[in-house]
Amino acid sequence: MSKVEVNHLTKSFGKLKVLDDISFQVEDGDFLCIVGPTGCGKTTFLNSLVKLYDVDCGEILINGEAVDLNKHSIAYIMQEYSTMSWLTVRENVQFGMKIRKFSKKKIKEKTQEVLRMVGMEKFADYYPGQLSASMLQRVSIARAFAVEPDLLLMDEPYGQLDLELRFKLEDELIRIWQETKTTIIFITHNIEEAVYMSRRIMVLTNKPTKVKEDFENPLPLPRNVTEESFVEMRNRVTNLIKWW
Amino acid sequence: MKEKKLKYTLISVASIAAFLSVWYLVTDVFHIFPSSTFPSPVKVAQAFIRKLTVKTPDGGTLATHLAASLKVALYGYLLGIGIGVPLGILMGWFRKVDLIVKPIFDLVRPIPPVGWIPLMILWLGIGMRAKATVIFVSAVTPSIINAYTGIKQTNSVHIWVARTFGAKSLETLIKVGIPSALPMIFAGLKVSLGASWMALVAAEMLASTEGLGYMIQMNRMVGKADNIMVGMITIGLVGAMLTWILEKLENKLVKGGRTK
Ligand SMILES: Nc1ncnc2c1ncn2[C@@H]1O[C@H](COP(=O)(O)OP(=O)(O)OP(=O)(O)O)[C@@H](O)[C@H]1O
Ligand SMILES: [Mg+2]
């Protein structure tokens, strides 16, 4: 179970100030979607959270303590391609589970489960060099889901996928969230996607980036994109974005 | 696919056949060169067969010379890569090792391996150890450089994936750094092999009482060009064979191609 606290987070690259004194909290079991203009620092935030970047000042806490990648069970689906070329699809999917020392039996079961979920079971023995961009993305998604994280970080994970698979994996993510009560931070450029899945939406400003708006999404699940309340919510987010 | 392979094989065979024919024409047919200094392929083949059993003028059969050479070469080579590859990996991964080893390495590296021979003769005589040391020096440098470069080129995204899953530095090295550096490491092993084989012959010509290089040198003194060529061809063939073995091993160990 993971509650995330971001306190006065500031991060620059040289003279370029990217994140400017950002503070917010993500409650345990919450589903937060972050939208913001391109280059505003969404990826920078997630990289800072998992300590790939050192921050200038401020802190990020999980359950009140500094992030510890061995203690806190985090999975991060990066925006960049991150599958390992020397491992098969199956081995890629098992990569995180092996580091986390899952039992052999569990690894086997879970591998089947997540491969089926992303529709890659037929390609289990392929190498990344033999796959398309969308397939590579699905492998990364499966690898993250496989470790059953307490905190799931997703950086535009569905951008590469075709619509059908996208809709399927959106529903799948909602199901996983409801079943496991994992905390999710999901970055997307797709407003409809954000309104469809999230329990909370955060809109960021241009650089130097602050939180522009942060509000609950109270629509009951499952949501219907044609319903009036859904369209209303979508327009609200769209209007916020128009002000960029 | 199969047709293409057959075509390539045919081209290779044809090119070797053409080379041998030209060699045959300029020697045995048209006698453009004196056969004592430039023997024909037939003469060399005869010398080859003779050298399998005859010990004169260099004191050994082809097999004993080859065995002597292989023994020294493999000894020095395996020691060179056995130390070079791990050292290169550690230098590439751990900054402290890099800081300590790199300056010494950069100073020693420009000295050509053959340049070590006089000192080695002085220290160790002209036996196995002196030669093996020279070969060690030849093999160790390319293995260090390639392992080092391969590790340095590890995609940081892959390192990040391992780290966010909670892997420690050593585990990340084993699961990410080394497998992704493997193609570079193998390229280094091949360069090392070539360098070792070359250094071996040089070392044997200068400081030895047996081996293929020694055999070539002895036959030069008595003017037997056919035996010199037998020695050279054996060196070439065995060198190619060792590289082939290494490539087979590479195909087995390096997975998933080199891209993405
Ligand atoms: N490692 C880095 N070194 C220097 N500048 C960086 C680095 N990473 C990001 N930046 C800069 O920081 C800013 C924020 O980048 P970031 O990747 O976090 O944006 P983003 O919000 O994820 O954008 P997108 O929606 O396009 O993915 C950009 O201006 C980028 O150029
Ligand atoms: Mg980004």
Side-chain angles (χ1 to χ4, degrees), chain A residues 13 16 18 37-44 53 79 156 189 207:
Chain A
F13 292 105
L16 181 77
V18 179
T38 183
C40 77
K42 303 181 293 298
T43 301
T44 302
Y53 290 163
Q79 193 170 17
E156 287 179 52
H189 280 256
K207 277 184 303 249

Side-chain angles (χ1 to χ4, degrees), chain A residues 47 50-53 69-70 74 78 80-86 95-96 99-100 127-128 131 136 143 147, chain B residues 154-155 157-168 171 175-177 179-180 255-260:
Chain A
N47 283 352
V50 294
K51 305 207 290 189
L52 298 175
Y53 290 163
L69 294 166
N70 288 106
I74 303 175
M78 294 194 214
E80 288 163 275
Y81 292 119
S82 60
T83 48
M84 325 259 167
S85 62
W86 60 91
F95 188 82
I99 290 175
R100 301 244 167 115
Y127 283 96
L131 303 178
L136 292 175
R143 180 177 62 194
V147 297
Chain B
T154 309
N155 186 344
V157 171
H158 292 153
I159 297 176
W160 288 0
V161 170
R163 269 177 54 187
T164 52
F165 278 125
K168 296 267 166 52
E171 190 178 12
K175 289 194 165 161
V176 175
S180 81
K255 304 261 170 70
R258 277 143 211 250
T259 48
K260 283 198 195 168

Side-chain angles (χ1 to χ4, degrees), chain B:
Chain B
M1 203 53 218
K2 258 193 179 151
E3 266 172 36
K4 246 191 184 153
K5 226 178 168 179
L6 184 68
K7 203 168 127 191
Y8 289 149
T9 315
L10 280 178
I11 293 174
S12 307
V13 171
S15 101
I16 291 173
F19 173 75
L20 288 176
S21 318
V22 172
W23 181 5
Y24 183 63
L25 285 176
V26 298
T27 48
D28 270 2
V29 180
F30 296 116
H31 299 286
I32 296 174
F33 303 103
S35 75
S36 63
T37 53
F38 193 173
S40 72
V42 179
K43 292 249 167 58
V44 174
Q46 285 165 348
F48 186 90
I49 291 165
R50 203 176 336 115
K51 206 70 198 95
L52 291 176
T53 51
V54 175
K55 287 190 178 174
T56 53
D58 41 62
T61 62
L62 189 59
T64 55
H65 286 306
L66 176 60
S69 288
L70 270 180
K71 193 173 141 202
V72 180
L74 290 182
Y75 199 74
Y77 176 70
L78 293 179
L79 205 63
I81 64 172
I83 291 177
V85 171
L87 190 61
I89 289 172
L90 294 178
M91 282 165 68
W93 195 257
F94 298 105
R95 226 183 118 61
K96 275 199 188 127
V97 182
D98 195 10
L99 289 174
I100 295 168
V101 181
K102 194 85 187 308
I104 304 168
F105 180 61
D106 283 342
L107 280 177
V108 173
R109 196 169 67 153
I111 305 168
V114 184
W116 288 87
I117 293 176
L119 196 60
M120 287 307 136
I121 296 177
L122 218 58
W123 287 356
L124 304 166
I126 59 170
M128 159 105 171
R129 282 199 299 168
K131 284 177 287 176
T133 308
V134 173
I135 289 153
F136 167 79
V137 175
S138 318
V140 82
T141 312
S143 0
I144 292 179
I145 295 172
N146 274 51
Y148 177 83
T149 317
I151 292 287
K152 283 277 180 208
Q153 284 174 352
T154 309
N155 186 344
S156 53
V157 171
H158 292 153
I159 297 176
W160 288 0
V161 170
R163 269 177 54 187
T164 52
F165 278 125
K168 296 267 166 52
S169 181
L170 192 64
E171 190 178 12
T172 308
L173 172 62
I174 291 164
K175 289 194 165 161
V176 175
I178 292 174
S180 81
L182 218 48
M184 266 307 260
I185 291 175
F186 263 100
L189 293 186
K190 277 186 260 180
V191 176
S192 287
L193 184 65
S196 300
W197 204 228
M198 268 184 251
L200 167 80
V201 176
E204 282 176 346
M205 289 168 107
L206 292 173
S208 194
T209 53
E210 54 181 354
L212 293 169
Y214 174 76
M215 173 182 143
I216 291 175
Q217 188 69 352
M218 285 299 118
N219 280 284
R220 181 188 68 81
M221 288 177 183
V222 296
K224 283 193 68 68
D226 50 357
N227 280 347
I228 295 178
M229 286 191 179
V230 169
M232 288 170 67
I233 290 169
T234 310
I235 289 166
L237 283 177
V238 174
M241 214 176 68
L242 293 175
T243 308
W244 179 81
I245 294 172
L246 214 48
E247 269 165 10
K248 285 280 152 205
L249 194 67
E250 178 179 13
N251 288 341
K252 257 206 132 66
L253 290 179
V254 177
K255 304 261 170 70
R258 277 143 211 250
T259 48
K260 283 198 195 168

Side-chain angles (χ1 to χ4, degrees), chain A residues 85-215:
Chain A
S85 62
W86 60 91
L87 300 178
T88 63
V89 166
R90 177 183 289 109
E91 291 163 341
N92 265 293
V93 166
Q94 295 172 343
F95 188 82
M97 292 192 280
K98 283 184 179 159
I99 290 175
R100 301 244 167 115
K101 308 244 167 3
F102 281 35
S103 73
K104 276 217 170 75
K105 182 164 163 273
K106 174 104 191 197
I107 288 178
K108 215 172 153 195
E109 286 169 8
K110 207 71 204 172
T111 307
Q112 281 316 103
E113 182 191 322
V114 291
L115 278 177
R116 198 174 320 118
M117 193 178 89
V118 297
M120 289 291 289
E121 68 268 57
K122 284 207 189 85
F123 299 92
D125 294 312
Y126 281 53
Y127 283 96
Q130 303 166 297
L131 303 178
S132 71
S134 130
M135 289 164 143
L136 292 175
Q137 193 56 30
R138 281 140 74 181
V139 176
S140 308
I141 292 167
R143 180 177 62 194
F145 285 173
V147 297
E148 301 179 338
D150 289 340
L151 174 60
L152 185 53
L153 310 173
M154 305 174 78
D155 196 350
E156 287 179 52
Y158 297 165
Q160 290 278 358
L161 310 180
D162 68 51
L163 274 185
E164 191 188 340
L165 190 64
R166 184 173 189 141
F167 291 155
K168 182 187 162 212
L169 287 182
E170 283 172 8
D171 286 333
E172 202 65 49
L173 185 60
I174 294 170
R175 182 186 65 76
I176 290 173
W177 175 62
Q178 287 179 318
E179 275 176 18
T180 63
K181 283 291 155 209
T182 175
T183 310
I184 299 176
I185 301 179
F186 190 105
I187 290 170
T188 178
H189 280 256
N190 187 317
I191 296 164
E192 187 166 287
E193 181 169 79
V195 177
Y196 184 73
M197 296 192 302
S198 67
R199 218 201 49 79
R200 212 175 113 201
I201 297 175
M202 195 164 92
V203 181
L204 300 176
T205 67
N206 264 312
K207 277 184 303 249
T209 304
K210 293 185 168 293
V211 177
K212 178 171 187 146
E213 198 102 6
D214 182 352
F215 52 91

